[in-house]
Every structure is written in structure tokens, then in C-alpha cells.
Amino acid sequence: MTDSWASGTVFGADLHLELRGSGLRAGLMDALREAVRTGRLTPGTRLPSSRSLAADLGIARNTVADAYAELVAEGWLTAQQGSGTQVARRAAPRRPARTARTTRPVSRQVTYNLMSGRPDLATFPRAQWLKAARRALTEAPDDAFGYGDPRGRVELRTVLADYLARARGVYADPDRVVVCSGFVHGLMLLGRVLKARKVRAVAVEAYGFDEHRDLLTQAGLRTPPLPLDGHGARTGELARTPGAGAVLLTPAHQYPTGVALHPDRRAAAVDWARATGGLILEDDYDGEFRYDRQPVGALQGLDPERVVYLGTASKALAPGLRLGWMVLPRELVAEVVEAKGPSDWASSALEQLTLAEFMRSGGYDRHVRSARLRYRRRRDQFVAALAERNPGIAVRGIAAGLHAVLELPPGTERAVVEAATWQGLAVDGLSRYRHPDAGPGRRVPMPAADGLVIGYGTPSDSAWTGALDALCRVLPDSA
């Protein structure tokens, strides 16, 4: 028999065998050996009974039984009364030899992670999330299992509109909310829309994520930098930024410097948008986490028709949920929905329904309050340790968020980052976030600044003390 195959059942899983050659028994034995040799059948895997496999292959049961018996004698399989036929434990697959081409370069192991941009993942509220997921799944309407509205589930859009109005001062109604799979996805969609609107440039803060600038550049947009100082982005210079039809800002807590945008500069940004028809893209990435007073409200409340508000569950819960949202000016909703596509392919409907239930039940508020207290304690421990062991090192941006900036002596940033690497400590230098056109001698002159961006919210509780100790060891005593 030539080129014959079947799918047998192994505890409900498919077993694909391809029989080649003129003899049925020899072909079956070769197919089973090859499946074990390549690792498709792993040691301990239970094979179908001879009756079941014979029926799937359309051959005699005795042929299968004889093939099994011979492979048992060869050591490929084992057979025990009551346990059936299994792949032998010693029948390990052969691995290809490594070559210089496939060998990865050796890198130092990271023992402690103080990179910014994510929360303590160990504190994800698993039990509460599971409870919300069970209830959401039980109550989900049948249409939740279809392709869905490209704006996202109405249940989530409704609860988001209520929460954002209450907690962040956002003017929202469900029809203006579009669910996406995170900030990057939202920015990608907005880049397409802005390009289609003939926008040539999106101004960005002189310090920020290069990944965000790259997304806009890939959309065909220039990203001229706005200078920064102790009051945030100098939005008064938007009028002198050629071709800018939009601006990307982090007004509640500038990333990474940590300053809040001054009220006068908030007003200047809105005035520019109204006068020019421009748009403000507001990244409210960690707006809930302010420690010394009430959180700074969203800029969107000043003019909902000129500001696109973007938020996510990445900092409050976990980035792995891939859930974010945009609150759009009414005239922009249809264009963003068209850019997203005809169905909601980006975010799982069940995850959306679970988050909606988690927020509706009060679980989200309780988790945020608990996390805020926990991160504030981390921040206080962080500041106290530096004051004791590294006096004179200035700490900036600690009023909010999950990260802070440490000012270093001029010319020392690279050496400190390298020393941290040797200690197994992952940290980021401040210069990583500086716009290529900003800095001494650049188009946007700014003083050189050496520093570290420290994500004190990243380590688990068990790793926090060790990470803090490793950081203090690599820092200079003073600046």
C-alpha cells in the first residue's frame, strides 16, 4: 500500500500516520518509528488499541497487533496489561546537532528586573478575575461568540464610559469608545487615519518611547520633537512646528521624566488644536496611580472633540490581557472603525466581557486602590534606601506612576548601566528615550541629561529587596 494515512485517536487527540511501501505491517512500523524518532510521539504517549487503529487505517487488526508486538520487542514501545501500548520512556527523539549558525550568543543572566513599563505581574487578581470570567461566560449572549462589533462589546464600552467619567474626568459615551488590543494597536489605527486625512506630522515629546515614534513613522508621518522642561512639554511651540496636524502627549505623568503637564500648557495645546483643526492624542498610561494627592484628570475633558483619549489595562492589571480603549471625537469614530476592519478581530470577546464584569462588580476599583497602596510603599522604600546609601542622587517623577528617574553625574550613565548588567540587574538609561533630533547640538536643543529610568513596580515582592540592594550597589554615592 502506498501513501495511505489515517487519524487514530490517542485520548481524544489525533494521531496522523502515513503508511508507505508495499507491505502494510512494514509501512505501519516505519510510520510509528518515524513518529517516535522525530518527537511527534513523545515517551509515555499511549497509542490507540489495535482494534481502534485498525478500524481507522482500514486494515486487519492482526496486522496492527503484529506491528505493535515487533516494536515492543525492538524497544520502541511497551505493553502492559491494563495500561495498553505506550511509547517507551527511553525512546527519546534525536535532536539535530548544533551548528555555529544556530547557536545563540551568550548573554548575562538577568537576576533582577527594574525595567519600566509593566506592573508586578505576581499581583494579578487571579481569583477575582476567574470569578468575573465565570459569571461573564454564564451570562454571555449567543452573539458574543460571533465576529462582533468592530468597536468592541457594548457591555465593556458602557462600563468604560462610566468608569472613565468618574475616575479620570473623561467625557465619554459608549458610542465614542473603541476597544483595541492595547496602546500600540490604538496608535497604529490612528496613524492610518491621520495619514488618510493628509496629516504630514505628529509632534511628540522630546523624551518618549521610540517604538511609538517608529509606529507613526511607518504610517508615513514625521515625528518632530517638542522640548521638555520641569512643566512638561512646551506645547506653545506647536504653532511653530511645520506640518504638525496632531500631537502625542502624556499629560498626567510624562513618560519617562514623570512631570505633569502644567495647566497653562494644557490650555495651550487645546487652543492650538481648536485653531488649527489638529488633534491631541492623550496617552493616559498610568493615570490611576498618583500618590500625593488626587490623580491629575485627563486632558480630554477640556475638549472631547479635539482630544483622543487612550487607556489600557496594562498597568492596572497586566499587559498580557491585550485590552485597551480609545475615546474618540465623534467625527473620528467611523474612520477608526473603518481602519480597524469589519469585525472585532483584535480583542477576545470573552476577555472584554470579563473585564466589563470585573469593573461592574467593583473588583477593578478595589484592585487599583490596593495596587496604589502597594506601589506607594515601594516608592517610599526606594526613596529611603537611596537617601541612606546613595545620598545626593536626585530622584524625579515620584509623585505618580510605577517608575522614577535617577539623575546621574554627567558622562556616567553608560558606565552605570554596564555595571548593573554585570550585577544581573536590568535597567534603562534615560538617553534611550531621547528623540534623535533632541539634545545638545540638535534641532531641538536640550541639555544633556544622564540618568536611569527605574521601574520600581516591576519586581515581585520576593525579588524587590534584592533588586533594590543591587541598584544601590551600582549607583555612585552622589551626583
Side-chain angles (χ1 to χ4, degrees):
M1 181 179 248
T2 305
D3 294 335
S4 176
W5 66 274
S7 294
T9 301
V10 186
F11 283 114
D14 286 336
L15 170 60
H16 177 89
L17 293 175
E18 195 165 326
L19 277 58
R20 298 182 182 277
S22 57
L24 291 177
R25 188 182 64 161
L28 175 57
M29 291 172 60
D30 286 344
L32 286 169
R33 288 192 195 100
E34 183 65 16
V36 174
R37 186 182 295 116
T38 59
R40 285 202 305 113
L41 290 179
T42 58
T45 299
R46 185 172 176 179
L47 299 182
S49 68
S50 57
R51 185 190 301 275
S52 174
L53 186 57
D56 287 339
L57 291 169
I59 61 178
R61 180 183 178 187
N62 285 344
T63 302
V64 177
D66 290 346
Y68 276 2
E70 192 159 342
L71 290 173
V72 168
E74 292 178 2
W76 291 95
L77 305 178
T78 62
Q80 293 183 354
Q81 187 70 28
S83 299
T85 304
Q86 300 180 8
V87 177
R89 296 287 177 183
R90 59 183 173 276
R94 299 174 185 174
R95 303 296 182 189
R98 288 188 175 186
T99 64
R101 180 176 298 179
T102 59
T103 301
R104 293 182 178 179
V106 177
S107 60
R108 292 204 167 269
Q109 182 177 359
V110 174
T111 304
Y112 299 113
N113 188 353
L114 287 175
M115 305 286 276
S116 63
R118 73 176 192 180
D120 178 0
L121 301 178
T123 63
F124 182 81
R126 299 176 190 235
Q128 295 88 343
W129 185 262
L130 180 59
K131 181 179 178 181
R134 285 172 171 161
R135 182 160 186 171
L137 183 60
T138 300
E139 298 180 356
D142 292 343
D143 67 5
F145 302 99
Y147 288 106
D149 188 326
R151 293 174 298 175
R153 292 297 306 179
V154 67
E155 296 90 341
L156 178 57
R157 292 188 285 114
T158 299
V159 75
L160 276 172
D162 292 341
Y163 172 79
L164 294 173
R166 168 173 55 83
R168 301 297 299 126
V170 172
Y171 176 81
D173 64 64
D175 290 339
R176 299 165 72 121
V177 177
V178 172
V179 177
C180 52
S181 62
F183 177 83
V184 166
H185 182 213
L187 188 61
M188 179 182 71
L189 297 174
L190 292 168
R192 293 177 189 169
V193 169
L194 292 171
K195 184 63 177 177
R197 285 183 158 219
K198 310 299 182 184
V199 170
R200 291 182 291 161
V202 177
V204 297
E205 296 161 326
Y207 280 85
F209 269 121
D210 55 354
E211 293 93 339
H212 299 168
R213 297 193 296 265
D214 291 344
L215 274 176
L216 295 170
T217 300
Q218 291 163 13
L221 301 161
R222 293 187 296 106
T223 57
L226 281 180
L228 281 170
D229 57 27
H231 297 295
R234 285 155 54 179
T235 54
E237 299 195 17
L238 281 168
R240 295 185 290 277
T241 305
V247 58
L248 175 61
L249 297 173
T250 50
H253 188 226
Q254 201 283 323
Y255 191 87
T257 64
V259 299
L261 189 62
H262 191 277
D264 291 344
R265 295 188 180 180
R266 287 178 160 232
V270 171
D271 289 344
W272 166 82
R274 289 172 175 170
T276 63
L279 288 169
I280 300 168
L281 313 183
E282 179 179 11
D283 180 5
D284 194 35
Y285 65 97
D286 63 0
E288 293 104 334
F289 296 111
R290 191 159 192 98
Y291 308 122
D292 299 328
R293 54 186 171 84
Q294 284 294 314
V296 176
L299 177 63
Q300 190 262 9
L302 294 179
D303 194 334
E305 300 305 328
R306 300 262 51 96
V307 181
V308 176
Y309 176 90
L310 297 105
T312 77
S314 296
K315 303 298 183 294
L317 288 170
L321 292 178
R322 308 312 309 142
L323 284 171
W325 44 85
M326 294 177 279
V327 182
L328 299 164
R330 195 169 298 281
E331 67 173 12
L332 215 61
V333 173
E335 295 170 59
V336 170
V337 168
E338 182 180 359
K340 194 179 183 188
S343 62
D344 188 15
W345 55 266
S347 304
S348 162
L350 293 180
E351 296 291 355
Q352 292 182 53
L353 290 172
T354 300
L355 179 58
E357 171 59 26
F358 191 56
M359 299 183 84
R360 187 200 61 76
S361 67
Y364 188 84
D365 281 282
R366 289 190 294 272
H367 176 73
V368 167
R369 285 195 297 270
S370 174
R372 189 184 296 132
L373 290 173
R374 183 169 58 255
Y375 292 133
R376 179 171 181 167
R377 284 194 296 269
R378 287 265 187 101
R379 181 205 66 170
D380 292 346
Q381 294 165 357
F382 173 60
V383 173
L386 290 175
E388 179 183 351
R389 299 178 57 180
N390 306 95
I393 293 288
V395 187
R396 307 295 186 199
I398 60 173
L402 310 181
H403 76 277
V405 174
L406 304 184
E407 293 185 3
L408 297 176
T412 65
E413 178 184 304
R414 182 173 179 179
V416 173
V417 172
E418 289 177 352
T421 301
W422 279 98
Q423 293 284 333
L425 175 65
V427 294
D428 257 339
L430 180 60
S431 62
R432 174 196 182 280
Y433 299 95
R434 188 162 55 236
H435 194 290
D437 292 336
R442 302 287 184 175
R443 188 169 62 201
V444 177
M446 295 183 67
D450 282 47
L452 297 180
V453 181
I454 301 298
Y456 57 81
T458 302
S460 64
D461 286 342
S462 61
W464 168 237
T465 302
L468 185 54
D469 182 62
L471 175 66
C472 291
R473 286 199 306 269
V474 302
L475 289 175
D477 289 336
S478 69

